[in-house]
Amino acid sequence: MRKLLWNLSLVVIIVALGGCSSSSKTSGSPEAKDVGYQYQIVEYGGLSDKRAVLDKDNVKRIEDIIADVKWDKTVSVDKGSKEDFVFWFIDQDNKEGQKYKVWFNETGSADVQDGKQVWGVLEGKDGETLSSIFKLNDQK
């Protein structure tokens, strides 16, 4: 009887621990269906019409990139220029999520500001990848 209780307890603990884990890198938010975006039109000084990234692989790549941003709530940056891109995730109910503003740098990195005015940095290839996803999508 003790052995049966011990095995049952072990199974309950394993199931409970497995149910607590999360495989989503976007802090428990539902997976995005699409990514909406606008880009800066230099000649006009404003943003383009709204567009969307519909390719699921690219949407997932953007989610992963944002999950890897190094956010710093203590930094306040005054950008002298307007953002290069603004984007947001669109959920299964077609609701727009938090907007992100992005400034791409010549070094391949990017500065990111979320809707709460928190700044972050995309280093290495993440900035280049994000830029290429939007630029390639815009050529379609």
Side-chain angles (χ1 to χ4, degrees), residues 46-132:
L47 293 172
S48 69
D49 294 335
K50 290 183 177 182
R51 300 169 185 254
V53 175
L54 304 174
D55 179 75
K56 299 303 174 208
D57 290 335
N58 284 336
V59 170
K60 179 67 174 140
R61 287 169 63 194
I62 294 170
E63 286 179 321
D64 291 345
I65 287 169
I66 290 302
D68 290 339
V69 171
K70 294 174 179 71
W71 298 103
D72 188 348
K73 295 179 181 183
T74 63
V75 173
S76 177
V77 178
D78 182 24
K79 284 288 191 186
S81 62
K82 295 198 177 225
E83 64 277 358
D84 295 314
F85 279 84
V86 174
F87 72 93
W88 55 92
F89 294 103
I90 301 170
D91 68 13
Q92 299 299 325
D93 297 325
N94 289 325
K95 293 182 182 173
E96 293 181 3
Q98 173 173 253
K99 290 191 177 188
Y100 297 89
K101 296 179 181 179
V102 182
W103 289 260
F104 294 109
N105 303 315
E106 292 176 9
T107 61
S109 66
D111 298 317
V112 182
Q113 183 185 41
D114 71 7
K116 299 173 188 166
Q117 306 298 313
V118 177
W119 286 88
V121 175
L122 283 172
E123 296 178 355
K125 293 192 180 238
D126 282 346
E128 293 172 0
T129 301
L130 188 62
S131 175
S132 68

